[in-house]
């Protein structure tokens, strides 16, 4: 059930089935099982859905459990995904210090594993934090670097968002 939930995550999110998806994920997570990467990935999906609904406490708890599992298993991609997710929660709370700390961690890990798309997400988060601190030149530089990453990844939607951020 956990792998199935993770596989359906993008479908649910894209179509706006967040409440139904969260309920299904929570039921799957309540089943007994080990602390393995499949559970961690399902937790990340649940956290993302919770964050999208403004339930930061639930998202933070799920990200926290997922982080522990990913770290136990040495899964750098998973840790990076959690760090990026925690950065989004910090953005939602207007906590620019935490946004920067989590996004820096995500960026470092994404670069270490060669994930250009993930690095672009972290750069976007760092740019948003800089922008909200009034550091407009730094934000523009970060968004320019982000733009290169999303273009290299072929992500046209992300490219349009970054171009919009640049004005």
């Amino acid at each position: 059930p956990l792998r199935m939930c993770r596989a359906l995550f993008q479908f649910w999110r894209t179509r706006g089935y967040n409440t139904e998806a969260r309920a299904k994920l929570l039921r799957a997570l309540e089943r007994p099982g080990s602390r393995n990467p499949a559970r961690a990935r399902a937790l990340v999906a649940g956290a993302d859905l919770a964050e999208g609904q403004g339930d930061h406490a639930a998202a933070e708890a799920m990200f926290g459990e997922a982080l522990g599992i990913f770290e136990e298993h040495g899964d750098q991609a998973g840790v990076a995904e959690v760090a990026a997710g925690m950065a989004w929660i910090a953005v939602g709370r207007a906590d620019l210090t935490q946004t920067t700390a989590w996004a820096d961690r995500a960026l470092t890990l994404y670069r270490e594993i060669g994930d250009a798309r993930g690095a672009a997400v972290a750069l976007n988060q760092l740019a948003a934090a800089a922008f909200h601190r009034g550091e407009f030149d730094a934000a523009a530089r970060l968004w320019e670097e982000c733009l290169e990453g999303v273009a290299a990844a072929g992500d046209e939607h992300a490219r349009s968002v970054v171009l919009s951020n640049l004005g």
Side-chain angles (χ1 to χ4, degrees), residues 1-152:
L2 294 175
R3 286 189 180 105
M4 175 83 66
C5 287
R6 178 61 186 218
L8 288 169
F9 166 68
Q10 287 296 356
F11 170 82
W12 288 330
R13 190 170 74 173
T14 301
R15 285 167 179 76
Y17 302 149
N18 295 348
T19 301
E20 177 185 350
R22 280 183 71 189
K24 289 185 185 303
L25 273 163
L26 289 175
R27 277 198 305 277
L29 289 164
E30 288 171 354
R31 296 175 65 154
S34 63
R35 288 175 52 87
N36 60 34
R39 177 175 179 79
R41 285 188 285 282
L43 284 161
V44 168
D48 192 324
L49 291 164
E51 191 272 332
Q53 291 184 313
D55 190 349
H56 295 154
E60 203 164 18
M62 285 186 265
F63 277 137
E65 184 180 344
L67 180 62
I69 295 169
F70 285 137
E71 287 175 337
E72 287 169 18
H73 290 271
D75 185 334
Q76 285 189 300
V79 172
E81 188 176 7
V82 168
M86 290 297 291
W88 284 127
I89 291 173
V91 166
R93 291 183 172 155
D95 185 338
L96 303 180
T97 301
Q98 284 297 305
T99 298
T100 301
W102 284 111
D104 274 334
R105 184 173 185 189
L107 180 60
T108 298
L109 290 168
Y110 280 132
R111 285 181 169 161
E112 284 177 10
I113 63 174
D115 183 340
R117 173 72 173 83
V121 168
L123 286 164
N124 185 47
Q125 294 167 327
L126 290 168
F131 180 85
H132 289 293
R133 282 192 301 267
E135 299 166 2
F136 303 119
D137 290 339
R141 282 191 304 277
L142 288 162
W143 274 320
E144 289 288 346
E145 188 177 350
C146 177
L147 187 59
E148 293 171 16
V150 295

